[in-house]
């Protein structure tokens, strides 16, 4: 039992052996851009259609519910990341506060989250890319469209989603080239993405028609199952579009590569969260007000579709092109987070140590980045957007609960430890995050909950057979 509860020393978290230490190169502008790049992406560009299909115009409430829960979790993340400026995010905090077994489950859940998020975004990007190629064909007569077999996975009548696979490896190449270089390019692309959303709001808001908001809540507030067996309701939508908010946890994985973590991490996490919540509510209001949700609810590119239906093909083109160019910022942020989670678990010995070597020239973990690319590309080639988004949310909800619990436990266990950022009203914010996440988890599709349980059963088996004995703490060492 003792091995399940062994914890890392909080005072030694930033001490690492040569060759397994990440290089601090990022400032707060990089972190804010990383957060916005992660948060503003597939959630608003594509999943707004999925959410509207489940909740109708009340998808606005779904965004608010998900945003409030995420805001509470973000405050907990800000406190924990500034106390522990080491890579690994919720996994590292859990290892230090709750013990190795819980940390393994959280890390295993984060592997699921990040792998599926990157796959989801790659599939969403592929939808916009296909729309862009179709526009080129229509406008110029050049037939540059992909064969149906290579443009979608088996669920959509294709064989493999080639664009999703290609973009995954391109982003992996960027991250291997260097963290600061990737973050700088990411910041530039984020500006384009925000401009595109501003264009959408400017065009769609004048077309606002209150009749499109009636009935406002056609499927009710709690999750319910309709005659076709589909989960609907405000909470069913919130549990899915929750995916759209949680990019800020990718910022916490960058703690070890941040030049001034005490100041920059809290600015990055809270700044990106507040900015993105405002953007989301405005875009969602413009979307459901401009057109009946039944029109765009099933679309792979809902914002561009709304622009075309409103008679603004040029605006639709701008949104489509920017989605093609800028959605990879989401890929980059989450891919970055995924590779860092893998890296830290490997450095701790819970995964093979050979994966945690850092390239001396670029300062990046090349082996783990390539391994992540292969895993994600395999998923993206055949996966369904709605199903993998829901499963990714399950992993994230577990991580958010763990971070909030860690914050409260440390407030009791070590109340005098210096806290650069202190979460206001921690004993209100923490429980709100915990119970909000539990309610969202309950609101996920039943099949998603089953698959998540299966994933963690596999994880426990891996831990018992390999990681429990291979970890550095089991050998009396620190990473």
């Amino acid at each position: 039992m003792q091995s399940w509860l062994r914890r890392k020393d909080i005072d030694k978290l930033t001490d690492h052996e040569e060759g397994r230490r990440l290089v601090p190169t990022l400032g707060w502008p990089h972190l804010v851009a990383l957060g916005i790049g992660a948060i503003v992406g597939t959630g608003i560009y594509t999943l707004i259609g999925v959410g509207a299909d489940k909740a109708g115009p009340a998808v606005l409430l779904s965004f608010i519910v998900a945003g409030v829960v995420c805001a509470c979790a973000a405050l907990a993340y800000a406190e924990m990341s500034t106390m522990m400026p080491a890579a690994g995010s919720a996994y590292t905090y859990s290892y230090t506060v709750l013990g190795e077994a819980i940390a393994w489950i959280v890390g295993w859940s984060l592997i699921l989250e990040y792998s599926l998020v990157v796959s989801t975004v790659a599939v969403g990007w592929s939808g916009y890319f296909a729309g862009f190629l179709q526009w080129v064909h229509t406008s110029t007569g050049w037939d540059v469209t992909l064969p149906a077999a290579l443009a979608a996975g088996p669920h959509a009548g294709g064989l493999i989603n080639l664009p999703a696979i290609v973009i995954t490896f391109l982003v992996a190449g960027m991250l291997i080239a260097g963290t600061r270089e990737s973050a700088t390019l990411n910041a530039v692309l984020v500006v384009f993405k925000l401009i595109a959303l501003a264009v959408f709001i400017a065009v769609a808001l004048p077309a606002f028609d209150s009749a499109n908001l009636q009935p406002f809540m056609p499927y009710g507030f709690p999750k319910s199952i309709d005659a076709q067996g589909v989960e609907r309701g405000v909470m069913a939508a919130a549990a899915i579009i929750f995916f759209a908010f949680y990019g800020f946890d990718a910022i916490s994985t960058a703690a070890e590569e941040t030049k001034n973590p005490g100041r920059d991490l809290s600015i990055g996490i809270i700044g990106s969260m507040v900015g993105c919540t405002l953007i989301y509510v405005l875009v969602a209001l413009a979307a459901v007000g401009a057109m009946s949700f039944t029109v765009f609810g099933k679309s792979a590119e809902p914002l561009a579709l709304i622009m075309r239906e409103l008679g603004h093909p040029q605006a639709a083109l701008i949104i489509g092109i920017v989605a093609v160019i800028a959605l990879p910022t989401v890929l980059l942020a989450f891919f970055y987070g995924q590779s860092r989670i893998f890296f830290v678990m490997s450095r701790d010995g819970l995964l093979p140590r050979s994966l945690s070597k850092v390239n001396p020239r670029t300062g990046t973990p090349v082996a783990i980045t390539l391994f992540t690319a292969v895993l994600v590309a395999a998923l993206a080639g055949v996966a369904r957007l709605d199903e993998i988004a829901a499963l990714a949310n399950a992993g994230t909800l577990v991580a958010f609960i763990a971070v909030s619990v860690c914050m409260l436990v440390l407030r009791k266990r070590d109340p005098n430890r210096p806290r650069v950022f202190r979460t206001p009203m921690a004993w209100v914010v923490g429980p709100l995050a915990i119970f909000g996440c539990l309610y969202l988890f309950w609101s996920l599709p039943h099949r998603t909950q089953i698959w998540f349980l299966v994933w963690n059963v596999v994880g426990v088996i891996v831990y018992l057979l390999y990681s429990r004995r291979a970890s550095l703490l089991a050998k009396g060492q620190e990473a």
Side-chain angles (χ1 to χ4, degrees):
M1 186 63 186
Q2 191 65 31
S3 67
W4 292 71
L5 298 176
R6 57 191 173 213
R7 304 197 305 261
K8 296 177 75 170
D9 187 339
I10 191 171
D11 294 313
K12 296 180 180 177
L13 275 180
T14 55
D15 299 336
H16 306 295
E17 65 186 89
E18 198 60 43
R20 298 183 195 273
R21 187 182 300 118
L22 297 171
V23 181
T25 58
L26 305 177
W28 70 261
H30 292 112
L31 298 181
V32 171
L34 188 71
I36 293 177
I39 300 169
V40 178
T42 300
I44 200 66
Y45 274 103
T46 59
L47 282 184
I48 188 172
V50 176
D53 184 52
K54 289 184 175 293
V59 70
L60 284 167
L61 291 181
S62 303
F63 274 108
I64 292 170
V65 169
V68 168
V69 173
C70 280
C72 292
L75 290 169
Y77 265 90
E79 178 167 321
M80 296 304 296
S81 64
T82 50
M83 283 180 72
M84 305 182 201
S89 185
Y91 157 78
T92 296
Y93 314 148
S94 298
Y95 210 159
T96 308
V97 180
L98 304 177
E100 185 176 280
I102 299 296
W104 170 263
I105 291 170
V106 171
W108 192 251
S109 298
L110 284 171
I111 288 172
L112 180 73
E113 171 202 339
Y114 282 118
S115 299
L116 296 183
V117 167
V118 177
S119 301
T120 304
V121 176
V123 172
W125 178 86
S126 180
Y128 273 94
F129 184 66
F132 172 70
L133 294 182
Q134 188 61 50
W135 172 81
V136 171
H137 178 45
T138 305
S139 302
T140 66
W142 298 343
D143 190 1
V144 292
T145 55
L146 287 170
L150 299 179
H155 66 91
L159 183 64
I160 192 167
N161 196 326
L162 185 61
I165 293 172
V166 170
I167 193 63
T168 299
F169 279 101
L170 284 175
V171 169
M174 286 172 56
L175 286 172
I176 288 171
T179 301
R180 184 180 176 84
E181 292 78 5
S182 301
T184 301
L185 177 60
N186 175 71
V188 173
L189 294 179
V190 162
V191 172
F192 282 106
K193 190 156 54 174
L194 294 180
I195 290 171
L197 291 177
V199 168
F200 175 81
I201 293 168
V203 173
L205 265 185
F208 187 91
D209 182 354
S210 59
N212 289 324
L213 300 182
Q214 302 300 326
F216 182 68
M217 202 183 296
Y219 308 115
F221 186 85
K223 180 182 78 170
S224 59
I225 300 176
D226 66 12
Q228 288 74 43
V230 178
E231 284 99 347
R232 297 194 186 277
V234 169
M235 287 308 300
I240 299 297
I241 61 176
F242 172 77
F243 172 95
F245 279 97
Y246 56 67
F248 64 83
D249 66 339
I251 297 173
S252 67
T253 66
E256 199 170 312
E257 291 163 276
T258 302
K259 288 185 284 189
N260 185 357
R263 179 197 66 183
D264 295 349
L265 287 168
S266 54
I267 293 174
I269 290 171
I270 295 169
S272 60
M273 186 65 210
V274 170
C276 291
T277 301
L278 292 174
I279 293 166
Y280 274 9
V281 172
L282 276 173
V283 172
L285 181 65
V288 296
M291 186 167 298
S292 170
F293 72 94
T294 56
V295 177
F296 65 87
K298 301 286 188 183
S299 174
E301 41 166 6
L303 300 191
L305 173 68
I306 291 170
M307 292 292 92
R308 286 195 293 270
E309 292 291 325
L310 290 177
H312 296 280
Q314 296 304 317
L317 177 62
I318 290 171
I319 289 170
I321 290 174
V322 171
V324 169
I325 295 171
L327 268 185
T329 62
V330 190
L331 270 174
L332 188 145
F334 280 102
F335 199 121
Y336 171 85
Q338 163 70 310
S339 63
R340 283 357 181 223
I341 295 294
F342 266 138
F343 171 80
V344 178
M345 292 179 77
S346 166
R347 188 167 65 185
D348 290 340
L350 297 181
L351 295 174
R353 289 266 289 167
S354 58
L355 294 172
S356 59
K357 292 287 182 67
V358 172
N359 184 289
R361 185 178 61 83
T362 63
T364 57
V366 175
I368 204 73
T369 304
L370 287 174
F371 175 75
T372 306
V374 171
L375 176 69
V376 167
L379 274 171
V382 298
R384 281 186 59 167
L385 181 66
D386 54 348
E387 290 183 356
I388 57 180
L391 194 52
N393 286 359
T396 308
L397 288 165
V398 167
F400 281 13
I401 290 170
V403 173
S404 302
V405 169
C406 286
M407 177 187 72
L408 296 178
V409 168
L410 271 187
R411 284 289 183 103
K412 278 291 188 182
R413 181 190 295 161
D414 199 351
N416 297 321
R417 179 169 289 276
R419 287 165 171 81
V420 180
F421 176 87
R422 289 183 69 88
T423 298
M425 297 188 298
W427 292 97
V428 174
V429 169
L432 262 177
I434 293 166
F435 290 110
C437 288
L438 287 171
Y439 188 29
L440 284 169
F441 189 91
W442 179 83
S443 300
L444 285 168
H446 182 64
R447 185 164 61 171
T448 298
Q449 296 167 345
I450 297 298
W451 275 112
F452 183 70
L453 178 63
V454 170
W455 171 258
N456 274 292
V457 168
V458 173
V460 170
I461 292 170
V462 172
Y463 177 74
L464 291 175
L465 294 180
Y466 174 80
S467 304
R468 187 166 65 96
R469 288 188 293 272
S471 82
L472 291 192
L473 286 190
K475 300 172 182 177
Q477 305 170 26
E478 289 279 351

